[in-house]
C-alpha cells in the first residue's frame, strides 16, 4: 500500500544545561526514524532559556506562544541555571507554555526496563510499569498569590492552590481513558491530602468518584500523598495509572523515576488532548548544572520523550520502534551513562540506540 509522506513542524527549545546536550540526541533519533515512518520533521529552533534571560531579562520573548502556536509539537530540553532563581526560570518558560497551551495532562511513564537495577531489592525488569498523570495547569502551581510588606521583617507571602471542577474532571478522565488504552492492570489511583486540605482536595476526591463511575471496568484506589509515597516504595508493582495534583504529581513522578533506575530514563508529555494547541515533550529531569557540558548526561529520557511525541503525532509504530531500541540497549547493558553505573558518553548511548533501530 502506498502512503504519502507526512510533514511535521517541531518547535525545539533545548533550553539550559544538559538540555543543550540531550535534545540534539533526540533529534538524531527522530531523523533516523523519519524515513521509516514516512515522515519529515522540520525543526524550528528557539534559543530561549537562561542565556536568553541574561541577555534580554526574560526567558523567552513576549510573543513566544504566538511563535510556537503553529508547530505540531514542542520538544523541550531543560530549564534552570545556577545564577538565576529557579522560580524565574520555571515561571518564565515552562509553566507559561503549559498553561498558555492548556497542556493540562502531564503524562509521566515509569518503567523498570529489563537490565536496569531498581534501588529496591528483588524487582525484576517489567515489574514496575506505571504512569503518573499530573494535573498541569492549575492546583498548587497556579501562581495565585503575592507578597505583602515584601522584604520587610513582617513580610507575608500568600500562595493559593486553585482547584476547579472542570480542571480536575478533565485530568481524571484522561487518567481513566489512559488506563483503558493501556489495558494492563486497569487501575487508577488518585492521590490527595484531603484530610488536611479540606476544600480543593475534597473537591478532587468527589470529582474522582464521579468520573470513576463512568469507567466500571477500572479498579480505583484513593490514597493520601504520604501513604502513596510509602506505597510507591513498598509495592510499586501494584500501580498502573496514578492521577495527582500538580505538586503531588511532580514529586511522586520523581520518586517513580528513581524507582525505575534513574531520572535519566524518565520521559514526559505535556498534553493538550483537545489538540487545539501544540503539546510539549520533555525529559522529567532538569538542567543538571553539576554534569552539564561533560558529555555524560543520559539522553534516553529525551529520546523516550521524542518517542511519546511520535505517538502523539500519529506515528505509533515509529514510537514503539524507538522505545524498543532503547529497551534493547538497556537490556544489553554494555553502553550506559554514569547515572546507570556505566562510563559511556551521551553520544555513545544514542549511537547504540541508532544501531538498535537498524536491527
Ligand atoms: N525538563 C524540563 C525541566 O527542566 N524540568 C525541571 C523542573 O524544574 N520541572 C518542574 C516541573 O516539571 O514542574
Amino acid at each position: 500500500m502506498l502512503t504519502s509522506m507526512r510533514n511535521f513542524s517541531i518547535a525545539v527549545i533545548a533550553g539550559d544545561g544538559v538540555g543543550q546536550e540531550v535534545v540534539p540526541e533526540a533529534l538524531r533519533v527522530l531523523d533516523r526514524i523519519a524515513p521509516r515512518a514516512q515522515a519529515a520533521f522540520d525543526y524550528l529552533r528557539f534559543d530561549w532559556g537562561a542565556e536568553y534571560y541574561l541577555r534580554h531579562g526574560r526567558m523567552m520573548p513576549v510573543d513566544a506562544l504566538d511563535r510556537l502556536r503553529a508547530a505540531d509539537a514542542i520538544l523541550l530540553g531543560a530549564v534552570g541555571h545556577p545564577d538565576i532563581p529557579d522560580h524565574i526560570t520555571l515561571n518564565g518558560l515552562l509553566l507559561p507554555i503549559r498553561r498558555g497551551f492548556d497542556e493540562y495532562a502531564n503524562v509521566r511513564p515509569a518503567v523498570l526496563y529489563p537490565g536496569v537495577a531498581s534501588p529496591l531489592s528483588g524487582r525484576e525488569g517489567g515489574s514496575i510499569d506505571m504512569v503518573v498523570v499530573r494535573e498541569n495547569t492549575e492546583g498548587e502551581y497556579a501562581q495565585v498569590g503575592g507578597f505583602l510588606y515584601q522584604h520587610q521583617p513582617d513580610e507575608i507571602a500568600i500562595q493559593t492552590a486553585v482547584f476547579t471542577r472542570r480542571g480536575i474532571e478533565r485530568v481524571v478522565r484522561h487518567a481513566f481513558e489512559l488506563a483503558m488504552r493501556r489495558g494492563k492492570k486497569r487501575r487508577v489511583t488518585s492521590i490527595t491530602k484531603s484530610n488536611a486540605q479540606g476544600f480543593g482536595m475534597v473537591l478532587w476526591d468527589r470529582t474522582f468518584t464521579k468520573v470513576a463511575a463512568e469507567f466500571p471496568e477500572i479498579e480505583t484506589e484513593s490514597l493520601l500523598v504520604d501513604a502513596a509515597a510509602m506505597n510507591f516504595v513498598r509495592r510499586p508493582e501494584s500501580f498502573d495509572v496514578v492521577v495527582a495534583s500538580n505538586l503531588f504529581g511532580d514529586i511522586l513522578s520523581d520518586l517513580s523515576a528513581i524507582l525505575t533506575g534513574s531520572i535519566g530514563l524518565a520521559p514526559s508529555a505535556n498534553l493538550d488532548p483537545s489538540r487545539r494547541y501544540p503539546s510539549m515533550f520533555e525529559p522529567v529531569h532538569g538542567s543538571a548544572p553539576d554534569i552539564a557540558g561533560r558529555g555524560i548526561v543520559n539522553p534516553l529520557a529525551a529520546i523516550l520523550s521524542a518517542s511519546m511525541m511520535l505517538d502523539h503525532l500519529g506515528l505509533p509504530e515509529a514510537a514503539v520502534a524507538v522505545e524498543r531500541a532503547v529497551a534493547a540497549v538497556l537490556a544489553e547493558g554494555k553502553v550506559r551513562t554514569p547515572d546507570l553505573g556505566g562510563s559511556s558518553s551521551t553520544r555513545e548511548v544514542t549511537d547504540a540506540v541508532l544501531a538498535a533501530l537498524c536491527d
Side-chain angles (χ1 to χ4, degrees):
M1 189 177 65
L2 278 179
T3 47
S4 56
M5 182 72 98
R6 295 172 66 194
N7 294 291
F8 298 95
S9 80
I10 309 296
V12 178
I13 310 171
D16 307 327
V18 298
Q20 291 287 338
E21 297 169 63
V22 296
V23 165
E25 303 303 310
L27 299 186
R28 289 174 70 204
V29 173
L30 286 173
D31 286 339
R32 180 64 63 88
I33 199 75
R36 207 199 287 183
Q38 302 257 28
F41 299 111
D42 179 22
Y43 303 122
L44 314 166
R45 294 167 206 263
F46 297 100
D47 65 344
W48 303 338
E51 296 298 334
Y52 187 94
Y53 178 89
L54 295 172
R55 289 198 305 277
H56 302 278
R58 34 186 320 129
M59 290 290 287
M60 56 184 187
V62 184
D63 64 349
L65 296 195
D66 292 332
R67 293 164 69 179
L68 294 173
R69 202 180 307 273
D72 292 302
I74 305 166
L75 188 64
L76 173 79
V79 284
H81 189 284
D83 297 339
I84 307 173
D86 286 337
H87 69 272
I88 290 183
T89 51
L90 201 62
N91 284 294
L93 194 149
L94 195 49
L95 300 189
I97 296 175
R98 288 176 181 164
R99 270 197 300 270
F101 288 153
D102 211 17
E103 294 166 349
Y104 66 81
N106 188 339
V107 177
R108 298 182 157 194
V111 177
L112 180 60
Y113 286 100
V116 177
S118 168
L120 303 178
S121 62
R123 261 62 184 205
E124 297 296 317
S127 64
I128 306 175
D129 183 352
M130 66 165 104
V131 185
V132 176
V133 177
R134 163 187 175 189
E135 199 294 315
N136 213 26
T137 51
E138 52 177 54
E140 307 88 340
Y141 290 13
Q143 286 308 308
V144 174
F147 291 107
L148 208 55
Y149 315 121
Q150 199 171 6
H151 302 305
Q152 294 177 37
D154 294 331
E155 185 166 10
I156 299 172
I158 295 178
Q159 185 95 43
T160 304
V162 175
F163 289 94
T164 66
R165 187 190 289 270
R166 168 182 171 270
I168 301 166
E169 197 167 312
R170 63 185 187 171
V171 77
V172 166
R173 185 165 288 111
H174 189 83
F176 276 96
E177 286 167 357
L178 180 59
M180 293 288 287
R181 272 200 309 280
R182 277 165 61 83
K184 293 192 174 175
K185 299 182 200 96
R186 289 179 178 254
R187 179 177 304 141
V188 176
T189 305
S190 166
I191 314 288
T192 64
K193 186 68 186 172
S194 51
N195 56 346
Q197 304 230 298
F199 305 114
M201 296 214 162
V202 168
L203 178 61
W204 181 292
D205 281 353
R206 262 198 274 125
T207 307
F208 179 75
T209 304
K210 178 172 161 277
V211 175
E214 296 169 24
F215 296 89
E217 321 75 342
I218 302 286
E219 189 186 327
T220 62
E221 180 183 32
S222 288
L223 293 175
L224 297 175
V225 66
D226 41 350
M230 280 195 302
N231 288 329
F232 266 40
V233 174
R234 187 166 53 182
R235 52 169 175 88
E237 53 285 323
S238 70
F239 293 98
D240 180 14
V241 176
V242 174
V243 63
S245 67
N246 217 329
L247 175 64
F248 293 169
D250 191 0
I251 298 168
L252 288 173
S253 57
D254 270 31
L255 180 54
S256 62
I258 200 64
L259 293 178
T260 53
S262 168
I263 197 157
L265 293 174
S268 77
N270 301 274
L271 298 179
D272 164 23
S274 78
R275 294 178 182 265
R276 266 182 312 157
Y277 302 110
S279 291
M280 178 164 66
F281 301 82
E282 51 162 328
V284 170
H285 65 70
S287 58
D290 52 331
I291 58 162
R294 293 170 55 194
I296 56 165
V297 61
N298 193 337
L300 295 179
I303 292 170
L304 289 168
S305 303
S307 160
M308 294 180 83
M309 185 177 83
L310 291 168
D311 191 52
H312 180 76
L313 292 173
L315 304 169
E317 284 158 19
V320 168
V322 170
E323 195 195 354
R324 284 208 180 124
V326 168
V329 170
L330 291 169
E332 198 182 29
K334 285 191 190 146
V335 185
R336 46 181 60 183
T337 41
D339 58 304
L340 290 175
S343 58
S344 307
S345 68
T346 306
R347 201 171 169 83
E348 285 166 343
V349 172
T350 312
D351 288 344
V353 173
L354 294 176
L357 265 178
C358 295
D359 291 346

